[in-house]
């Protein structure tokens, strides 16, 4: 009996072990499946975000904007004025790709290089969106072996900057550049660039402005004379460049704390950057105890006197100021630099301590060594140019238009063909064809039988100056009515004289 009991116990133990192994296997399999499902849920949560599915919001990317017809009309008017000035000075136009090889842009913008938009690898080329139009222009000159050209270029550029829409600062924006490339006599092209800035700002009627001018050689001489090591000239220049956006105490702290410049040197720089004037200032600085010992400063001051003399000959000396606080931080500048600022738009602080002000509306300078960076033999093409800050100009003009409640015309339609009765659609189309063939800007209703009142209202709402009115009686008599939308006066003219009469009347309105 004991033997039988032992056998059953052994069999039961074996069975229990077998089921325990099976249970362990099932638990492991279950745990694996649970882990897999949990991993899937965690991945889905990461994809959707912490708050789960989010509602899609229609918006433009940060630092960009849409433009409605009124805004586009203002922009087109501004660009037309700028292009007219460029052409008046003999410029021709070019265009370059919106993206460049990354190595083309690298090392040209100093500290601002961090603002370049890099693109993902597309087929083996590492690309970046263009930061400005100057470096692509230099690449164009070197690649095409161009040594003399006077060109303008209007196109969009891209910067990964902190946008400030109210100040006209965006991540995607237009630049309007004018540049003169070639070996010419001292300061002659440079003075013409300053003259172009003065002409454009005057024509746009933005208000009183000043064009600040300085020279990189003067800046380098100033830094060296104040005790700044040569390797820190560009960092110091980058700090001084922020004086148009902030205040000297902030710039001084940056120079000392971030750039590692000696506090005593920073104090001396602070004394110089507060100076501004005309030829008298340049002559006084030539006698300065420190600057008179610096070869770059002496050369720069002599060139500055020449520039100011030419500006006087061009009749713009009342708009030009020699200002030692002007630095322009881009690394490629080698000579004269300039920047236009609207008076009354100086930098101030708001209640929160933030700097407020539109800033410069144009800037540029001489860059004689940039083209050589792209040439296989290092051949340089001297260049000088200016860039108009059109986005800031647009912001100012849009604000003025809104404040004055002026209605901006968004079309250029000169004549509206209206019908006084039903069944006149085909006759309207015939008249439109005749006017379009005569190059007269014309519209008509897209409805077969529009109401006369609606047609007249359309003309008034859109600023269309003239209307042609046709009906059964006009068809039978071989005439049309010409209606002045503003005065509401009408007169009958023979159908075969319609084009000539419209052209005469439009001429008197121009």
């Amino acid at each position: 009996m004991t033997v039988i009991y032992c056998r059953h116990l052994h069999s039961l133990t074996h069975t229990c072990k077998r089921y325990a192994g099976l249970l362990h296997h099932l638990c492991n399999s279950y745990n694996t499946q649970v882990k897999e499902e949990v991993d899937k849920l965690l991945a889905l949560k990461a994809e959707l975000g912490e708050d789960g599915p989010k509602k899609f919001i229609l918006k433009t990317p940060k630092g960009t904007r849409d433009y409605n017809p009124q805004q586009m009309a203002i922009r087109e008017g501004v660009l037309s004025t700028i292009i007219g000035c460029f052409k008046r000075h003999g410029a021709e136009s070019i265009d370059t790709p919106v993206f460049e090889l990354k190595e083309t842009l690298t090392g040209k913008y100093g500290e601002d290089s961090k603002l370049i938009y890099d693109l993902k690898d597309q087929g083996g080329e590492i690309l970046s969106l263009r930061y400005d139009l100057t470096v692509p222009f230099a690449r164009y000159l070197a690649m095409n072996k161009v040594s003399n050209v006077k060109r303008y270029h209007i196109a969009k550029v891209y910067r990964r900057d902190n946008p400030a829409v109210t100040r006209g600062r965006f991540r995607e924006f237009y630049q309007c550049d004018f540049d003169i490339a070639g070996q010419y006599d001292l300061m002659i092209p440079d003075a013409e660039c300053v003259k172009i800035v003065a002409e454009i700002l005057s024509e746009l009627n933005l208000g009183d402005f000043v064009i600040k001018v300085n020279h990189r050689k003067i800046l380098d001489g100033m830094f060296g004379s104040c005790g700044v090591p040569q390797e820190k000239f560009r960092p110091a220049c980058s700090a001084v460049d922020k004086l148009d956006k902030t205040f000297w105490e902030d710039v001084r702290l940056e120079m000392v704390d971030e750039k590692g410049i000696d506090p005593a040197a920073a104090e001396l720089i602070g004394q110089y950057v507060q100076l501004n004037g005309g030829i008298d200032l340049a002559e006084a600085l030539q006698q300065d105890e420190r600057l008179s010992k610096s070869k770059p400063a002496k050369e720069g001051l002599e060139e500055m006197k020449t520039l100011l003399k030419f500006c006087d000959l061009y009749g713009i000396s009342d708009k030009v100021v020699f200002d030692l606080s002007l630095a322009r931080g881009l690394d490629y500048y080698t000579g004269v630099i300039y920047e236009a600022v609207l008076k009354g738009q100086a930098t101030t602080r708001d209640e929160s301590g933030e700097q407020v002000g539109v800033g410069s509306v144009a800037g540029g300078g001489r860059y004689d060594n940039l083209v050589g960076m792209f040439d296989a033999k290092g051949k340089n093409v001297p260049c000088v140019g200016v860039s108009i800050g059109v986005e800031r100009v647009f912001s100012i003009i849009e604000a003025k238009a809104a404040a004055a409640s002026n209605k901006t015309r968004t079309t250029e339609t000169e004549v509206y063909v209206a019908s006084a009765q039903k069944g006149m659609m085909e006759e309207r189309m015939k008249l439109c064809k005749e006017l379009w063939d005569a190059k007269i800007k014309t519209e008509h209703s897209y409805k077969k039988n529009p109401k006369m009142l609606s047609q007249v209202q359309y003309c008034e709402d859109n600023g269309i100056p003239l209307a042609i009115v046709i009906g059964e009686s006009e068809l039978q008599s071989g005439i049309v009515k010409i209606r002045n939308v503003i005065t509401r006066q009408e007169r009958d003219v023979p159908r075969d004289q319609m084009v000539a009469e419209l052209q005469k009347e439009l001429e008197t309105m121009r």
Side-chain angles (χ1 to χ4, degrees):
M1 187 71 180
T2 302
V3 173
I4 294 173
Y5 176 77
C6 288
R7 285 177 179 173
H8 279 294
L9 183 62
H10 177 75
S11 176
L12 183 61
T13 301
H14 177 73
T15 301
C16 286
K17 286 182 178 181
R18 185 161 60 86
Y19 279 108
L22 180 61
L23 183 61
H24 179 71
H25 174 74
L26 288 174
C27 286
N28 283 341
S29 177
Y30 176 76
N31 287 337
T32 301
Q33 289 178 356
V34 169
K35 185 177 182 305
E36 288 176 356
E37 292 302 319
V38 169
D39 288 343
K40 288 179 182 178
L41 289 173
L42 289 174
L44 181 60
K45 181 182 179 183
E47 184 179 338
L48 295 175
E50 292 296 325
D51 300 325
K54 294 181 180 179
K55 184 179 179 181
F56 178 67
I57 300 174
L58 277 176
K59 62 185 285 291
T60 59
K62 184 179 180 181
T64 65
R65 62 182 287 196
D66 293 323
Y67 298 92
N68 62 39
Q70 288 77 20
Q71 291 167 327
M72 285 304 300
I74 290 173
R75 293 166 74 88
E76 288 172 3
V78 170
L79 293 178
S80 177
T81 297
I82 294 171
I83 292 171
C85 182
F86 290 163
K87 289 186 175 181
R88 187 162 61 243
H89 286 262
E92 51 195 347
S93 180
I94 70 164
D95 197 11
T96 61
V98 73
F99 46 81
E100 296 273 352
L101 295 175
K102 183 177 180 179
E103 60 191 84
T104 298
L105 306 182
T106 301
K108 312 299 189 305
Y109 303 108
E111 293 184 0
D112 284 349
S113 292
K114 64 181 179 291
L115 303 181
I116 295 174
Y117 271 107
D118 294 329
L119 303 179
K120 286 188 176 181
D121 184 358
Q122 300 289 339
E125 290 186 328
I126 307 302
L127 307 172
S128 298
L129 294 177
R130 61 188 173 202
Y131 176 89
D132 67 3
L133 301 179
T134 304
V135 171
F137 175 55
R139 190 265 309 151
Y140 170 89
L141 294 177
M143 195 175 81
N144 294 284
K145 308 299 180 187
V146 178
S147 57
N148 290 278
V149 69
K150 188 189 296 184
R151 82 87 171 87
Y152 74 89
H153 188 186
I154 298 177
K156 287 184 176 181
V157 298
Y158 301 85
R159 297 183 184 179
R160 205 159 45 85
D161 202 352
N162 289 322
V165 175
T166 56
R167 296 179 59 193
R169 185 194 297 161
F170 299 92
R171 289 181 168 180
E172 176 195 59
F173 58 95
Y174 273 100
Q175 277 194 340
C176 298
D177 281 19
F178 173 97
D179 292 83
I180 301 171
Q183 189 74 50
Y184 300 108
D185 288 335
L186 190 68
M187 293 294 125
I188 298 176
D190 310 62
E192 185 166 354
C193 286
V194 178
K195 169 67 172 168
I196 285 170
V197 174
E199 286 183 10
I200 289 173
L201 296 184
S202 296
E203 285 186 59
L204 292 174
N205 196 28
L206 299 175
D208 201 7
F209 62 89
V210 61
I211 303 172
K212 301 177 182 180
V213 295
N214 202 356
H215 201 297
R216 267 295 169 85
K217 289 181 181 179
I218 298 174
L219 285 167
D220 287 350
M222 178 183 73
F223 293 140
S225 301
C226 291
V228 178
Q230 187 172 0
E231 66 271 15
K232 293 188 177 180
F233 281 7
R234 288 298 166 259
C237 195
S238 175
V240 172
D241 184 45
K242 295 170 184 169
L243 277 171
D244 68 327
K245 305 179 185 71
T246 185
F247 302 89
W248 167 248
E249 61 267 23
D250 299 328
V251 171
R252 182 190 173 281
L253 283 173
E254 180 180 332
M255 293 177 76
V256 174
D257 296 344
E258 297 180 26
K259 312 297 185 185
I261 293 171
D262 185 83
E267 288 297 333
L268 289 173
I269 291 170
Q271 295 175 21
Y272 283 110
V273 297
Q274 296 178 45
L275 301 175
N276 60 74
I279 290 181
D280 291 346
L281 175 61
E283 291 174 344
L285 290 173
Q286 286 181 317
Q287 307 304 317
D288 182 83
E289 182 181 355
R290 297 185 187 88
L291 297 184
S292 61
K293 299 175 184 177
S294 167
K295 182 181 177 182
K298 288 193 292 185
E299 290 178 356
L301 287 167
E302 197 59 42
E303 292 182 14
M304 179 57 62
K305 287 169 62 179
T306 303
L307 175 71
L308 294 172
K309 176 184 175 182
F310 290 164
C311 288
D312 185 52
L313 292 173
Y314 280 143
I316 57 172
S317 57
D318 61 323
K319 299 292 186 184
V320 177
V321 174
F322 173 29
D323 192 326
L324 283 175
S325 71
L326 178 64
R328 296 195 66 79
L330 298 180
D331 281 359
Y332 52 66
Y333 287 123
T334 58
V336 165
I337 52 177
Y338 33 83
E339 189 166 275
V341 180
L342 297 180
K343 289 186 177 180
Q345 297 283 346
T347 301
T348 58
R349 292 188 190 273
D350 62 15
E351 294 177 355
S352 65
E354 290 295 316
Q355 286 82 32
V356 179
V358 129
S360 66
V361 290
R366 175 161 288 280
Y367 52 102
D368 288 346
N369 301 329
L370 187 57
V371 178
M373 294 183 182
F374 299 111
D375 189 84
K377 298 180 180 178
K379 179 184 175 183
N380 282 316
V381 177
C383 296
V384 64
V386 62
S387 180
I388 307 297
V390 287
E391 297 294 347
R392 291 176 176 178
V393 172
F394 295 150
S395 296
I396 294 166
I397 296 180
E398 285 174 15
K400 283 187 173 183
S405 299
N406 292 334
K407 183 173 175 59
T408 303
R409 277 204 72 186
T410 58
T411 70
E412 297 181 4
T413 306
E414 299 168 312
V415 177
Y416 189 89
V417 178
S419 53
Q421 297 165 327
K422 294 182 178 181
M424 291 286 115
M425 184 191 68
E426 292 184 6
E427 295 302 325
R428 295 202 316 266
M429 295 175 78
K430 290 176 185 177
L431 288 172
C432 285
K433 187 263 183 193
E434 192 173 340
L435 296 176
W436 287 330
D437 289 347
K439 304 297 185 289
I440 295 175
K441 297 166 184 174
T442 307
E443 283 188 75
H444 77 114
S445 174
Y446 294 139
K447 292 186 176 182
K448 285 185 177 181
N449 299 306
K451 294 179 180 179
M452 184 63 190
L453 183 61
S454 299
Q455 296 172 88
V456 173
Q457 189 65 48
Y458 182 87
C459 294
E460 292 178 354
D461 290 345
N462 291 278
I464 301 173
L466 297 176
I468 291 291
V469 183
I470 190 168
E472 287 290 350
S473 61
E474 285 80 14
L475 276 179
Q476 292 172 6
S477 303
I479 62 171
V480 296
K481 274 188 171 61
I482 295 181
R483 177 187 175 99
N484 187 308
V485 176
I486 299 172
T487 65
R488 300 188 179 182
Q489 292 180 338
E490 294 182 348
R491 61 189 178 95
D492 295 340
V493 299
R495 172 72 177 266
D496 59 359
Q497 296 178 25
M498 175 186 68
V499 170
E501 290 295 320
L502 285 171
Q503 288 172 334
K504 283 194 293 185
E505 192 150 348
L506 288 169
E507 190 62 36
T508 63
M509 293 179 172
R510 293 191 178 108

